[in-house]
Amino acid sequence: MKNGVILYDDRGEVLHAHGGYMLYENGYFYWFGENRTGDIRVSCYRSKDLEHWEFRNHVLTCDSKVQEHYIRSDTRLRKEVTLKDGSKKMGSCNIERPKVLYNSKTKQYVMWMHYENGVHYGDARCAVAVSDKIDGDYTYYGSFNPIGNMSRDCTVFKEEDGTAYFISAARENADLIIYRLTEDYLAIDEQVRILWPGQAREAPVLFKRNDRYYMLSSACTGWLPNQGKYAISDSLTGRWSTLKPFGDKTTYDSQPAFILPLETAGGVEWIYVGDRWNGENYPASTYVFFPLHFNEIGELTLENCEEMDWKKYLI
Ligand code: DGJ
C-alpha cells in the first residue's frame, strides 16, 4: 500500500478517515476518521489485511440522533454562529480527530472528538457520541469544554485495567491536558496532568510499550507539517522526559493521527499512522504508514518509506 496517495474503499469511493483511529475486533481492523463530504462527519471502514477497506457506515453525520446527557453539553450539530461584526451565519459542525474506545463494562463504543461550530475554531470543545455496535449509528451526546477548558486536537488512551484517558490541546493550544475519564467513559472524571505548558503541542498520540508511556505530537502550524516530537514517561501523571525530535523537520510531511500496534509472530510491531494534509483541498489529504523502531533504551525512530508491505507484519 502506497503512502501519500488517495485510497479507495470496496465501493470504489475515496476513503475518508482523516485524523483517525483504529480498533481491532473479531479479526477486523476498524478505521474511523473525519469525512467532510456533505453532511457526513465520521466514517468507518474495516479490513482484515489493512490493504482492502470495506465501507461500513457514516457513523456520525449532522443528522445523527442526539440525546441529552448528564454532561451539560450542547447537542446541536448545526447552529447559528454570531461573527465579530455581529452578523450571523449558520454552521454545520466541524468534527476532527474522532477516536473510539470500547467500554467492556457498559458494552458501549464511546467516541471522543474535537468539535467546532463549522464557521470558526473559537468553540474549542470536545464531544462524545455512543453506539452499541462498533460501526453502528452513533448517538451524539453533545459538545462541551472539559472542566471549562478549551479543547482542540485530541486523542484517547486505554490502560489494560480499562481506565481511559482523554488528552487534548487547551489554552489556545498552549498546553496539552490529560484527563481521566469516568468509568463509563462518557465524561471527564479528573484533570490529571498538564503537559508542556506554553509549548503549543498538537496532534497528540499516546501509547504504552514495555510499561512506558510515549506521547507523540506536532507543533502548531495549521495544516502545514512540522517537526514531530515525542516524550517518554514511566507514569502518565508523573514526570515526562523533555521533547525529542523524531523523523525529519516535517516528520516526512505528516502529522500524527494514531499508533497502530500489530501482534506479529516476532512480538508487537508499532506503526505510525499520520495525515498528509492538503490544507488547500482537504478531501485530497492522504495518509502515511511508517514503522517505528526502538533502540535498547527505548528511544524511537521513524522509518520513512514509500509503501507498506502489510504481509510482512500480519500473522
Ligand atoms: C492541525 C490539526 O492537527 C488538525 O487536526 C486541524 O485542526 C488543523 N490544524 C486545522 O488547521
Side-chain angles (χ1 to χ4, degrees), residues 32-45:
F32 298 86
E34 298 168 23
N35 183 346
R36 302 187 189 201
T37 316
D39 282 340
I40 303 165
R41 289 297 174 266
V42 182
S43 293
C44 177
Y45 305 83

